[in-house]
Amino acid sequence: MTKVKTILVSQPEPKTENSPFHMLASKQKVKVDFRSFIHVEGVEAADVRKEKINPADHKAIIFTSKNAVDHFFRICEEMRVAVSNDLKYYCISEAIAYYLQKYVVYNKRKIYYGNGTIEDLIPMLKKNKGENFFLPSSDILKPEIPATLEKNKINYTRAILYRTVASDLSDLADVYYDILVFFSPEGIRSLYKNFPDFEQKNTRIAAFGTSTAKAVSEAGLNLDIPAPTPEAPSMTKAIEEYIKKVNK
């Protein structure tokens, strides 16, 4: 196998200089570039109205991402819906809960959060079982979220307020990387939308998560660097171990 000299990560570049990928580049003496293969586009207020969805009809909301927070407040502004001070916020993680400070006075709102999974929120949601919770989301939503809500008989209305779409990667047409790193099936789909005739050849594919690995296989690609594994719990650790083997 050829040595690894260049890596393309299909995500935006981390803002901190001591991120795991920056540290990997420095330690293993390889070039790491970043490029988001997908991006988010907001759904128009008119399209939300067509679905007969009105955020004002709800007294409690479930947030599963920071994007959901941004687009909820965007759509309320576009629809000229006043966000009630009494609205209850249920966030899947503490980070999302604190992100609400961008839009509300945090200590003057009813904000609850879990530890990163929808299951964490269920006991809190069940205390308000009579509520019809508002669930803003992308067109792509982890299936365990609605499945868990329905299993626990939580009444909710899902509203698709933004969509995940493929980014334009045409400027990469003649650029070669030794490793392409993916974190979602959408990244793989973006690769083929931009380059329908893509051939893997000597390019190594790294993929994080079972759904991403499945997308790699379904695309007919070889998965060279899977993560997480017992030996490599992170993507950067898996890539580092691979580089150590081939760059001897």
Side-chain angles (χ1 to χ4, degrees), residues 132-151:
N132 179 18
F133 294 90
F134 192 64
L135 178 64
S137 77
S138 166
D139 55 325
I140 299 168
L141 181 65
K142 291 181 179 179
E144 60 264 28
I145 293 175
T148 301
L149 293 173
E150 288 158 19
K151 177 184 175 183

Side-chain angles (χ1 to χ4, degrees), residues 87-102:
L87 185 65
K88 297 176 182 177
Y89 301 92
Y90 294 85
C91 304
I92 207 167
S93 70
E94 184 177 14
I96 295 171
Y98 282 126
Y99 187 70
L100 280 169
Q101 294 179 101
K102 182 177 178 181

Side-chain angles (χ1 to χ4, degrees), residues 23-194:
M23 294 173 67
L24 173 69
S26 176
K27 186 176 180 181
Q28 296 300 323
K29 302 296 187 290
V30 294
K31 180 185 178 185
V32 178
D33 290 337
F34 300 86
R35 179 66 177 275
S36 182
F37 276 38
I38 57 177
H39 64 277
V40 164
E41 291 183 355
V43 170
E44 297 292 334
D47 294 326
V48 177
R49 288 193 185 94
K50 287 178 184 177
E51 298 296 323
K52 297 182 179 179
I53 293 173
N54 186 350
D57 293 338
H58 304 267
K59 297 179 181 178
I61 185 166
I62 301 171
F63 283 130
T64 58
S65 71
K66 292 179 181 179
N67 276 329
V69 174
D70 286 334
H71 287 279
F72 168 74
F73 285 98
R74 173 189 63 81
I75 212 72
C76 284
E77 183 177 352
E78 290 181 5
M79 294 177 70
R80 297 182 181 178
V81 170
V83 179
S84 171
N85 291 341
D86 295 324
L87 185 65
K88 297 176 182 177
Y89 301 92
Y90 294 85
C91 304
I92 207 167
S93 70
E94 184 177 14
I96 295 171
Y98 282 126
Y99 187 70
L100 280 169
Q101 294 179 101
K102 182 177 178 181
Y103 298 98
V104 302
V105 181
Y106 188 85
N107 58 4
K108 292 186 178 182
R109 298 294 183 270
K110 297 174 182 178
I111 300 173
Y112 312 90
Y113 56 83
N115 294 314
T117 68
I118 190 64
E119 287 84 359
D120 297 330
L121 290 181
I122 294 301
M124 304 176 218
L125 299 178
K126 282 185 173 180
K127 290 180 180 179
N128 296 273
K129 235 179 177 180
E131 291 284 6
N132 179 18
F133 294 90
F134 192 64
L135 178 64
S137 77
S138 166
D139 55 325
I140 299 168
L141 181 65
K142 291 181 179 179
E144 60 264 28
I145 293 175
T148 301
L149 293 173
E150 288 158 19
K151 177 184 175 183
N152 288 277
K153 298 180 179 178
I154 303 298
N155 188 26
Y156 72 95
T157 298
R158 180 185 174 189
I160 296 175
L161 303 186
Y162 57 103
R163 300 185 184 279
T164 304
V165 298
S167 300
D168 180 6
L169 307 175
S170 56
D171 58 303
L172 296 178
D174 299 317
V175 182
Y176 172 83
Y177 286 92
D178 295 310
I179 298 177
L180 297 180
V181 186
F182 295 95
F183 290 88
S184 71
E186 291 71 43
I188 300 294
R189 287 192 273 273
S190 175
L191 173 69
Y192 278 95
K193 183 171 183 179
N194 280 276

